[in-house]
Amino acid sequence: MSDKDRNEGPGVSRRDFLKIGGIAVAVPLVASPRVLQAAGKPVEVHGPYKAKISLNINTKQQFVEVDTRVTLLDVLRDTYQLTGAKRVCDRGACGACTVLMDDKPVYACSILAVDAQERKITTIEGIYPAETLDELQRAFVENDAQQCGFCTPGFIVSAKSFLDAHPRASAEEFKHGLSGNLCRCGTYQGMQLVAAAMTKGKGA
Ligand code: FES
Ligand code: FES
């Protein structure tokens, strides 16, 4: 086999690939797959590309064009400036990015925005549109259950969702309900007091 055959044999050669790369850079990233001509042959090129999607965020229907690899957290924070959900671990381990999807807490960093379509997304800004504090938020403040506060919105979203679903929960159950959230400042003593305050007089 000649060098030419080795380099340009059946399929897409390295030279063709470089040509395709050159073409792909010049093409607007709006649709996929695309069929490009490389050395006279059609070649299908998949992604990256943007898709127009519709998201229901805090009861508003929003339309946005996003790269299909973008997470729900990125869209919430970067497109809609809903910065209550925080990016900390960015890998589904800490709960700082917790939002509600169809009223259930989820890690927004671990969900693609395209997969959040036709779901009801609620961020902490949607749960608490007013600036006054409710009983749960006051319990965090009064019991010193935050230091830097970076994890706090995620804790509040999880706690509110848990209490709404389990109004008669015990303190132990409440703590279990928050087990998907981590606080790097270690404010768990304050959280114990929040658990006691929010479940006082309520049975298991
Ligand atoms: S930032 Fe999403 S779980 Fe940590
Ligand atoms: S208060 Fe700082 S991470 Fe929780």
Side-chain angles (χ1 to χ4, degrees), residues 145-152 155 182-187 191:
Q146 76 271 308
Q147 287 183 39
C148 75
F150 214 67
C151 68
T152 310
F155 266 101
L182 300 177
C183 172
R184 285 169 175 77
C185 294
T187 57
M191 303 263 185

Side-chain angles (χ1 to χ4, degrees), residues 105-148:
V106 294
Y107 297 150
C109 72
S110 301
I111 293 172
L112 291 174
V114 290
D115 288 336
Q117 296 184 91
E118 296 171 21
R119 314 294 290 272
K120 186 174 83 167
I121 309 300
T122 312
T123 68
I124 192 160
E125 292 90 344
I127 298 173
Y128 295 107
E131 291 190 2
T132 51
L133 302 183
D134 78 345
E135 183 188 2
L136 174 63
Q137 292 170 303
R138 277 203 309 278
F140 269 75
V141 173
E142 288 165 6
N143 292 292
D144 219 6
Q146 76 271 308
Q147 287 183 39
C148 75

Side-chain angles (χ1 to χ4, degrees), residues 2-24 36-41 43:
S2 70
D3 282 353
K4 187 170 187 301
D5 289 339
R6 234 189 320 273
N7 290 333
E8 300 184 2
V12 179
S13 70
R14 192 166 32 170
R15 184 173 303 170
D16 290 344
F17 180 79
L18 292 174
K19 285 180 193 166
I20 295 164
I23 295 166
L36 303 178
Q37 293 297 320
K41 299 176 214 160
V43 178

Side-chain angles (χ1 to χ4, degrees), residues 93-98 107 151 153-156 158-159 177-183 188:
C94 74
C97 62
T98 301
Y107 297 150
C151 68
F155 266 101
I156 297 278
S158 295
L178 298 187
S179 58
N181 294 70
L182 300 177
C183 172
Y188 295 111

Side-chain angles (χ1 to χ4, degrees), residues 73 86-98 107-110:
L73 179 64
K86 305 291 190 248
R87 184 185 300 109
V88 177
C89 69
D90 214 14
R91 59 184 59 193
C94 74
C97 62
T98 301
Y107 297 150
C109 72
S110 301

